[in-house]
Amino acid sequence: ASVGHEVWLAALAWGARCVLLVNAGSVPGKAEHALRQQLGYCHALLAGMQIDAQALRYVSTDQLATECIPAEGLPDAATFAAGGNKRQLATLALDHLWSRSTERRRDIDLPAGAPYGRVDVDTQRCTLCMGCTSVCPAKALSAGDETPRLDFFEVNCVQCGICASACPEDAITLHARYLADPAERRRPAKLNEEAPFCCVQCGKPFATRRVIDNIIDKLSGHAMFASERARRRLQMCEDCRVVDAVQDSEAMQAG
């Protein structure tokens, strides 16, 4: 249990004909559960690359003598170095195995909970508030430069689910898979984009139409936004909003 799938896959990529994980009876229950989960992910990945499941097995000491059977479908040995972090090592191994596979599938479905995958965004619910980009620990989600746009870098996504939990509109769902094509995996994918909403006073873009409409709708019954001028202020950027509020005697008296 001291090594993970990145080591198992790297061993196969470097030329091992078979990797056996031997349990002599001392592996704790929680560690064994985690091992079997990772085995499930790896078997799905290997199957997607037409590699025999015999390449990676979990056995007891009693089975050891009879289980060392070379697997079929493994490629020639790779030459990459074992540098970088665990994810980088796993990616190098998977890229090598995929590049030598007989059928280069674009993507491979994985069991739920796998550390690889994409996020799906319901564009009808997403307001591009960018809350998900601020909580993503892996930098898999990114805001557009000058345009309200949500980009996704699948190469970074670890399927932690923090973005889905943080989304105020419940617009994000996770999809466990491995995007096998290295070039496509590294390209950003556009998940959602809208034209910017411009300040009605100065014309500066500062939000999206959907965000402004939601704010106006939620504050429609609020006493502070009963007047037309106060409601119009919601369509202004932060600078113009302050200036207009200071010049509005009714708003200053209410404050």
Side-chain angles (χ1 to χ4, degrees), residues 3 28 57 68 80 83 86 97 114 129 131 142 145 147 151 206 229 245 251 253:
V3 295
R57 277 161 284 157
C68 195
F80 61 82
K86 293 181 178 182
L97 297 173
C129 69
S142 173
D145 297 329
T147 303
D151 289 332
F206 73 101
R229 181 169 182 173
Q253 289 173 5

Side-chain angles (χ1 to χ4, degrees), residues 5 33-34 36-42 44-45 87 109-118 157-161 174-178:
H5 73 282
H33 176 71
R36 291 192 180 278
Q37 274 192 318
Q38 289 200 58
L39 276 167
Y41 309 150
C42 285
L45 288 165
R87 191 174 180 87
D109 283 329
L110 298 177
Y116 305 99
R118 73 168 191 253
C157 183
V158 296
Q159 294 283 285
C160 64
L174 306 181
H175 179 187
R177 71 164 186 182
Y178 187 72

Side-chain angles (χ1 to χ4, degrees), residues 19-88:
V19 173
L20 300 180
L21 308 177
V22 184
N23 183 0
S26 60
V27 180
K30 288 185 178 180
E32 182 170 4
H33 176 71
L35 282 170
R36 291 192 180 278
Q37 274 192 318
Q38 289 200 58
L39 276 167
Y41 309 150
C42 285
H43 283 154
L45 288 165
L46 294 175
M49 298 178 188
Q50 298 78 52
I51 296 174
D52 191 348
Q54 296 293 311
L56 178 60
R57 277 161 284 157
Y58 184 69
V59 300
S60 66
T61 49
D62 296 336
Q63 298 171 301
L64 188 57
T66 59
E67 286 291 328
C68 195
I69 305 169
E72 298 179 358
L74 286 164
D76 297 333
T79 57
F80 61 82
N85 57 36
K86 293 181 178 182
R87 191 174 180 87
Q88 290 170 334

Side-chain angles (χ1 to χ4, degrees), residues 149-181:
R149 186 179 71 246
L150 181 61
D151 289 332
F152 176 60
F153 295 84
E154 189 157 341
V155 68
N156 295 337
C157 183
V158 296
Q159 294 283 285
C160 64
I162 295 176
C163 58
S165 300
C167 178
E169 309 299 338
D170 293 325
I172 297 177
T173 54
L174 306 181
H175 179 187
R177 71 164 186 182
Y178 187 72
L179 185 56
D181 187 322

Side-chain angles (χ1 to χ4, degrees), residues 26-244:
S26 60
V27 180
K30 288 185 178 180
E32 182 170 4
H33 176 71
L35 282 170
R36 291 192 180 278
Q37 274 192 318
Q38 289 200 58
L39 276 167
Y41 309 150
C42 285
H43 283 154
L45 288 165
L46 294 175
M49 298 178 188
Q50 298 78 52
I51 296 174
D52 191 348
Q54 296 293 311
L56 178 60
R57 277 161 284 157
Y58 184 69
V59 300
S60 66
T61 49
D62 296 336
Q63 298 171 301
L64 188 57
T66 59
E67 286 291 328
C68 195
I69 305 169
E72 298 179 358
L74 286 164
D76 297 333
T79 57
F80 61 82
N85 57 36
K86 293 181 178 182
R87 191 174 180 87
Q88 290 170 334
L89 179 59
T91 299
L92 287 170
L94 287 167
D95 284 351
H96 175 77
L97 297 173
W98 179 80
S99 69
R100 304 300 195 276
S101 64
T102 56
E103 179 189 341
R104 294 186 183 179
R105 293 171 55 179
R106 173 183 174 274
D107 57 83
I108 301 166
D109 283 329
L110 298 177
Y116 305 99
R118 73 168 191 253
V119 298
D120 295 324
V121 171
D122 184 343
T123 57
Q124 297 304 309
R125 301 176 66 94
C126 174
T127 61
L128 288 170
C129 69
M130 300 305 172
C132 56
T133 65
S134 62
V135 299
C136 178
K139 295 181 171 33
L141 292 164
S142 173
D145 297 329
E146 299 296 329
T147 303
R149 186 179 71 246
L150 181 61
D151 289 332
F152 176 60
F153 295 84
E154 189 157 341
V155 68
N156 295 337
C157 183
V158 296
Q159 294 283 285
C160 64
I162 295 176
C163 58
S165 300
C167 178
E169 309 299 338
D170 293 325
I172 297 177
T173 54
L174 306 181
H175 179 187
R177 71 164 186 182
Y178 187 72
L179 185 56
D181 187 322
E184 187 174 354
R185 191 171 61 245
R186 289 170 174 80
R187 282 197 298 267
K190 183 174 68 176
L191 299 181
N192 195 12
E193 182 177 14
E194 287 188 24
F197 181 88
C198 298
C199 173
V200 295
Q201 189 72 13
C202 70
K204 181 178 77 174
F206 73 101
T208 67
R209 164 62 69 180
R210 194 174 303 182
V211 166
I212 298 303
D213 287 345
N214 282 355
I215 291 173
I216 292 174
D217 182 62
K218 290 178 180 178
L219 297 177
S220 60
H222 198 286
M224 289 186 64
F225 299 95
S227 70
E228 182 60 33
R229 181 169 182 173
R231 286 192 294 272
R232 188 173 184 274
R233 201 152 43 236
L234 295 173
Q235 301 177 60
M236 298 179 186
C237 67
E238 60 275 16
D239 295 330
C240 293
R241 196 178 305 138
V242 171
V243 172
D244 188 77

